[in-house]
Amino acid sequence: MDSAMDATSLLVIVTCSTLLATVLSVLIAKTVNSGKGKNLPPGSLGLPVIGQTFEFLRAHKNNTINDWMEQKVAKYGFVFKTSLMGCPTVVVIGQEGNRFLFHNDCNTIANKQPTTVSRILGKKNILELNGEDHKRMRGAILQFLKPEALQKFVERMDFVIQQHFVDCWEGKECITVLPLTKTVTFRVACDMFFSLKDSKETDILGKDFTEALKGVWSLPLNLPGTAFHGGLKARSRICKRLSSLLQVRRGSLDEGNSSPDKDLMSCMLSMRDENGNGFTEEEIIDNVMAVMSAGHETTYTLLVHLVRLLALNPDVYHKVYEEQMKVLAGKQSHESLKWVDIQKMKYTWKVAQETLRLTSPIVGGFKKAIQNVEFASYTIPKGWQFFWSATSTHMNKEIFKEPKKFDPSRFESSVPPYSYTVFGGGPRICPGYDFTRMETLIYMHHLLCNYKWSLVDPHEIIVCDPVPLPVRGLTIKLQAIHS
Ligand code: HEM
């Protein structure tokens, strides 16, 4: 009964809001066309708006977003207007567009997230902040994520990952990669961000995070049974748990049993601005949640595709294997990896970069025009949103020759600016780059040094929900290496 009501109200709300959005878009389109810049290529504005959003979402889900974009580009060029999520949108593809969006000041073009982001991750989370507030919070997060600070964590991360291989891989002939990478990356995050090591507790928190993230990727409809409602409930459980962990971290700092560089929470608790003011509990909790959400799905998606693409490309696998064996040869038995070892894994990181180019966990992002802006001689009116597409730029054959081919050697020389945007760009470029690199390389080292593997289904379909992943989680056959 409940779910029938939910479905009906959902349909009514979607229909009403899209009708309203259609009317608004047509009105706004008229405004644009009377603006001082030349008119934007029509794209599809004015056609039934709901169709565009559904087409976009369907293409995203089926992992055919690049084909969808390619068709639009062939028809309208690299800048065109359409309507996505009920909002008039300018899609901008390519280096010039990326440069324009990443470097515009926040009084002209601001970060824009769906309302679900602030409701689930909290209104103080970094993704919601602009200007000075954003700078201050980003500075604090980078204090922990910058390479100089991360170096101290290599051994700790190495320990969690090695333990994961012992617990979940040893003695198995077959495993499914996706749930395991999800667990290990979450355990690493809990240890690094608030020193939580208990695996039962991290697994409970992990389930709540998964539910909260489903709420982020849903319609903001707070009715029992909806993903958004479940997400809000998960958020309040997470906040309760993070709040009690915060008291523990604060207590340890006050008693002198811990230091500010122990984990992200301790680092944020210890920071003071020039007036001696620290962050509030709300700011710390919202931002620990934001960092975990931004860093978790993205990283395990990369690991799953690395396992997949190495199995499909034996030549590349052999080169990665050689590199990891060289690193291993320089170590004492059971000695943990060090920062200097990570720096030796250059080819393995190129393979990861190429994996990200082909299967970017983030297809692109939305921004919003705060006032009328000019781009490529077009006037884009205040209130419109922009969509920048990472994956379409990555598939541009002018920049990446044979773009569909898996070829890590393209990263042997530097790629042109604003063409590889897997981590975004400008003042909001992903601050988790070095963390991702470190975790990925430690994981690959232990995988390559201990196992050979093959895919049970080399043709497993990839779907985006919301990140691109093999639909059945990528089952592999394992063979232990006794080195
Ligand atoms: C494969 C891994 C990852 C990918 C592909 C990725 C990608 C991105 C992208 C595209 C953005 C938006 C940039 C923009 O708007 O210009 C972003 C922002 C962000 N990422 Fe990552 N990310 C990854 C891993 C991580 C990790 C491991 C962390 C944390 C440990 C992290 C933390 C963040 C944060 C906090 C932001 C918001 C930055 C801001 O608004 O200033 N990310 N990431």
Side-chain angles (χ1 to χ4, degrees):
M1 177 69 184
D2 257 6
S3 61
M5 269 181 61
D6 291 346
T8 314
S9 60
L10 192 82
L11 195 66
V12 170
I13 289 172
V14 170
T15 313
C16 291
S17 57
T18 38
L19 274 175
L20 187 67
T22 309
V23 173
L24 281 175
S25 320
V26 172
L27 286 176
I28 293 168
K30 288 200 169 134
T31 318
V32 178
N33 293 345
S34 63
K36 64 182 170 132
K38 61 180 175 170
N39 292 340
L40 275 161
S44 47
L45 205 69
L47 295 177
V49 172
I50 194 166
Q52 289 309 305
T53 301
F54 281 151
E55 247 187 42
F56 176 79
L57 290 177
R58 195 176 53 222
H60 179 252
K61 173 119 188 154
N62 295 343
N63 199 26
T64 53
I65 194 88
N66 289 329
D67 301 336
W68 186 82
M69 287 285 181
E70 222 172 87
Q71 282 165 18
K72 300 278 175 197
V73 170
K75 223 163 159 187
Y76 308 117
F78 287 101
V79 189
F80 59 89
K81 60 186 181 188
T82 181
S83 175
L84 299 175
M85 314 307 176
C87 190
T89 306
V90 179
V91 177
V92 170
I93 294 169
Q95 288 167 272
E96 271 319 301
N98 291 339
R99 189 198 311 268
F100 165 74
L101 287 183
F102 292 149
H103 285 294
N104 230 294
D105 85 274
C106 67
N107 298 319
T108 316
I109 295 176
N111 225 27
K112 177 192 184 284
Q113 304 296 332
T115 51
T116 51
V117 173
S118 69
R119 296 288 302 279
I120 303 280
L121 299 182
K123 53 185 187 301
K124 301 278 177 189
N125 92 71
I126 185 167
L127 303 169
E128 293 297 316
L129 305 179
N130 278 299
E132 283 308 310
D133 293 340
H134 171 255
K135 240 190 216 162
R136 175 170 167 259
M137 186 52 73
R138 190 175 163 94
I141 292 171
L142 268 171
Q143 195 62 27
F144 179 78
L145 290 177
K146 64 185 178 191
E148 302 86 299
L150 283 178
Q151 296 191 19
K152 294 190 213 101
F153 289 93
V154 177
E155 290 183 44
R156 204 159 128 189
M157 214 186 238
D158 187 62
F159 178 80
V160 179
I161 293 174
Q162 280 205 56
Q163 195 58 44
H164 163 78
F165 278 107
V166 171
D167 293 346
C168 303
W169 291 58
E170 225 171 75
K172 306 265 166 63
E173 286 178 4
C174 229
I175 58 132
T176 302
V177 182
L178 172 56
L180 293 185
T181 50
K182 222 173 171 173
T183 306
V184 66
T185 48
F186 199 75
R187 285 194 185 162
V188 167
C190 288
D191 189 9
M192 302 295 125
F193 299 160
F194 34 81
S195 297
L196 180 68
K197 294 176 195 290
D198 183 282
S199 55
K200 272 201 192 120
E201 275 207 60
T202 54
D203 291 350
I204 293 171
L205 202 55
K207 282 198 185 110
D208 280 338
F209 256 93
T210 304
E211 205 166 336
L213 285 185
K214 277 191 196 145
V216 170
W217 291 97
S218 68
L219 277 173
L221 199 61
N222 189 8
L223 292 175
T226 59
F228 185 60
H229 184 77
L232 287 175
K233 289 199 137 188
R235 169 175 167 84
S236 69
R237 289 193 297 273
I238 295 167
C239 286
K240 214 166 147 196
R241 187 67 193 109
L242 290 184
S243 173
S244 73
L245 285 162
L246 194 86
Q247 303 321 323
V248 175
R249 304 290 356 119
R250 200 195 298 274
S252 299
L253 284 167
D254 290 348
E255 287 158 19
N257 297 330
S258 188
S259 59
D261 61 1
K262 170 92 174 149
D263 48 47
L264 175 65
M265 236 181 209
S266 305
C267 181
M268 293 186 81
L269 274 169
S270 313
M271 272 174 193
R272 297 286 176 271
D273 64 16
E274 60 276 16
N275 303 318
N277 298 322
F279 289 115
T280 61
E281 177 168 333
E282 185 188 7
E283 283 177 310
I284 298 180
I285 290 180
D286 285 0
N287 282 287
V288 168
M289 270 188 90
V291 170
M292 292 196 79
S293 315
H296 183 227
E297 267 184 338
T298 44
T299 312
Y300 71 70
T301 301
L302 166 61
L303 297 181
V304 169
H305 286 292
L306 268 168
V307 174
R308 185 176 71 86
L309 288 168
L310 284 185
L312 292 173
N313 294 276
D315 293 351
V316 176
Y317 167 86
H318 283 297
K319 285 173 84 171
V320 176
Y321 179 77
E322 294 289 306
E323 182 170 87
Q324 294 304 334
M325 284 297 139
K326 264 194 203 149
V327 173
L328 184 67
K331 310 288 307 169
Q332 304 288 327
S333 130
H334 301 301
E335 185 190 350
S336 64
L337 288 169
K338 305 269 181 328
W339 182 253
V340 59
D341 299 313
I342 309 284
Q343 309 320 309
K344 293 176 188 159
M345 304 181 189
K346 291 198 168 27
Y347 182 72
T348 313
W349 183 241
K350 288 187 179 99
V351 175
Q353 286 177 296
E354 175 67 345
T355 302
L356 284 168
R357 187 188 66 82
L358 278 177
T359 54
S360 178
I362 293 179
V363 291
F366 289 99
K367 298 202 186 260
K368 185 176 181 173
I370 301 299
Q371 48 184 281
N372 287 3
V373 276
E374 302 279 321
F375 174 63
S377 311
Y378 299 120
T379 304
I380 292 114
K382 175 180 171 179
W384 276 45
Q385 68 182 8
F386 289 96
F387 180 75
W388 59 271
S389 162
T391 50
S392 304
T393 315
H394 296 165
M395 284 298 139
N396 184 339
K397 54 181 180 299
E398 307 294 322
I399 305 170
F400 299 102
K401 226 171 97 194
E402 293 186 77
K404 292 192 176 158
K405 189 175 161 193
F406 179 63
D407 178 10
S409 73
R410 6 178 148 252
F411 288 92
E412 260 146 35
S413 46
S414 56
V415 293
Y418 303 101
S419 57
Y420 182 68
T421 54
V422 78
F423 291 99
R428 286 205 173 252
I429 194 166
C430 175
Y433 176 90
D434 292 289
F435 189 99
T436 307
R437 181 169 161 271
M438 185 166 126
E439 185 169 12
T440 303
L441 294 175
I442 296 175
Y443 184 92
M444 293 316 285
H445 177 76
H446 293 297
L447 173 63
L448 271 286
C449 292
N450 291 293
Y451 297 98
K452 288 191 189 298
W453 67 96
S454 59
L455 305 181
V456 167
D457 176 6
H459 305 291
E460 192 169 338
I461 291 169
I462 311 289
V463 289
C464 291
D465 194 16
V467 282
L469 285 165
V471 70
R472 284 184 301 283
L474 198 77
T475 303
I476 55 173
K477 279 191 204 148
L478 281 182
Q479 193 194 332
I481 303 173
H482 300 287
S483 47

